[in-house]
Amino acid sequence: MNKTIEVHSSVSALVNRALELILSTVETAISERGQFTIALSGGSTPKPLYEAIANQNLPWDKIHVFWGDERYVPADHPDSNELMARRAWLDRVAIPAVNIHAIPTLAANPEVDAAKYNQHLQTFFKSTSGEFPPLDVVLLGMGDDAHTASLFPHTEALKVCDRLITVGNKDDNLRITFTYPFINAARNVIFLVAGANKRPALAKIFAPVADDFIYPSRLIKPQGKLYWLLDAAAGLELKP
């Protein structure tokens, strides 16, 4: 794992750096493999990043978009990560519909939809059960409880190591989420973290010793590059 911690002066500077990293990776991935794959995160911090990506002139037919997690709500629900990304980015560019790989949420059973998305990913990446194919970029946020994607402290999702997708749980609100081994297969993982409220969790995540099941973001140790992009408020007490 190649870990980089960067503290930026503002959320805007953080977003600009994330955009720079993504554009560089798009170029490399398409040059080497003919396509670029990215998993999106929800929350407010990545929204300006998606808006910035929408303003780029990119080979949209070679870009495939996935989601690292999704609330178990319809795609037109205000809480949907898919809806946010579509409004900020995907509906504003000429990306083919088949290149948008949204998490299904309509089976009235999250286990069924998680299995369906798991199968979809295996088919897309031509992988078999037990294999973890590498996405080019996985974008992640982090909550002040140190969760990432829908991998919450003390939940069963943290124990799932034999699948790409599982069901997450926050206060009995079910989610669908990447498993941490699937995230760790990525070529690049980019955390976007902003706000002073994140400092206590970050201190535990970067500590030499702490409990991964209390601070799930500690489980993210990709085979590729790991970027922690923090704004000044989040990174104030860190010395990269």
Side-chain angles (χ1 to χ4, degrees):
M1 179 184 65
N2 181 349
K3 181 169 77 173
T4 302
I5 302 170
E6 300 179 7
V7 180
H8 294 274
S9 60
S10 64
V11 174
S12 177
L14 179 160
V15 166
N16 288 339
R17 173 59 171 151
L19 178 65
E20 178 184 86
L21 288 171
I22 289 168
L23 294 180
S24 173
T25 308
V26 168
E27 186 174 342
T28 300
I30 292 174
S31 172
E32 293 180 357
R33 293 176 292 279
Q35 66 180 17
F36 169 75
T37 55
I38 183 170
L40 307 186
S41 64
S44 58
T45 305
K47 184 178 179 183
L49 172 61
Y50 301 158
E51 292 169 342
I53 295 172
N55 291 328
Q56 307 300 310
N57 181 20
L58 296 174
W60 301 113
D61 61 316
K62 295 180 174 63
I63 293 174
H64 289 264
V65 177
F66 303 82
W67 276 263
D69 73 315
E70 183 60 274
R71 296 175 174 89
Y72 202 63
V73 296
D76 59 357
H77 191 282
D79 292 339
S80 168
N81 291 339
E82 178 188 347
L83 180 65
M84 185 273 278
R86 284 186 180 276
R87 286 178 171 172
W89 167 13
L90 301 172
D91 289 348
R92 298 171 53 199
V93 300
I95 186 168
V98 294
N99 290 20
I100 300 173
H101 305 266
I103 295 176
T105 58
L106 298 177
N109 183 331
E111 295 283 356
V112 169
D113 278 324
K116 186 183 298 182
Y117 201 51
N118 192 90
Q119 183 58 56
H120 176 79
L121 288 160
Q122 286 185 347
T123 300
F124 177 84
F125 286 105
K126 299 180 176 63
S127 63
T128 60
S129 181
E131 290 182 337
F132 295 94
L135 285 117
D136 292 307
V137 171
V138 174
L139 290 174
L140 295 174
M142 187 203 72
D144 56 14
D145 62 354
H147 87 269
T148 192
S150 284
L151 300 169
F152 291 93
H154 299 297
T155 58
E156 290 300 309
L158 301 178
K159 302 175 184 177
V160 179
C161 299
D162 60 347
R163 281 163 277 164
L164 309 180
I165 305 297
T166 192
V167 176
N169 189 337
K170 182 189 182 186
D171 303 327
D172 294 325
N173 293 314
L174 299 179
R175 318 273 188 103
I176 294 178
T177 184
F178 280 15
T179 61
Y180 79 84
F182 184 32
I183 296 172
N184 284 342
R187 294 183 176 94
N188 299 273
V189 173
I190 304 174
F191 273 94
L192 308 178
V193 182
N197 61 313
K198 307 295 176 67
R199 284 184 215 156
L202 287 169
K204 291 292 187 180
I205 289 162
F206 296 139
V209 179
D211 189 335
D212 295 352
F213 287 86
I214 300 176
Y215 306 100
S217 291
R218 290 178 61 90
L219 291 166
I220 307 307
K221 300 170 183 177
Q223 66 174 8
K225 296 178 181 178
L226 173 60
Y227 297 92
W228 283 89
L229 305 186
L230 317 176
D231 75 342
L236 183 65
E237 297 167 3
L238 295 172
K239 297 177 181 179

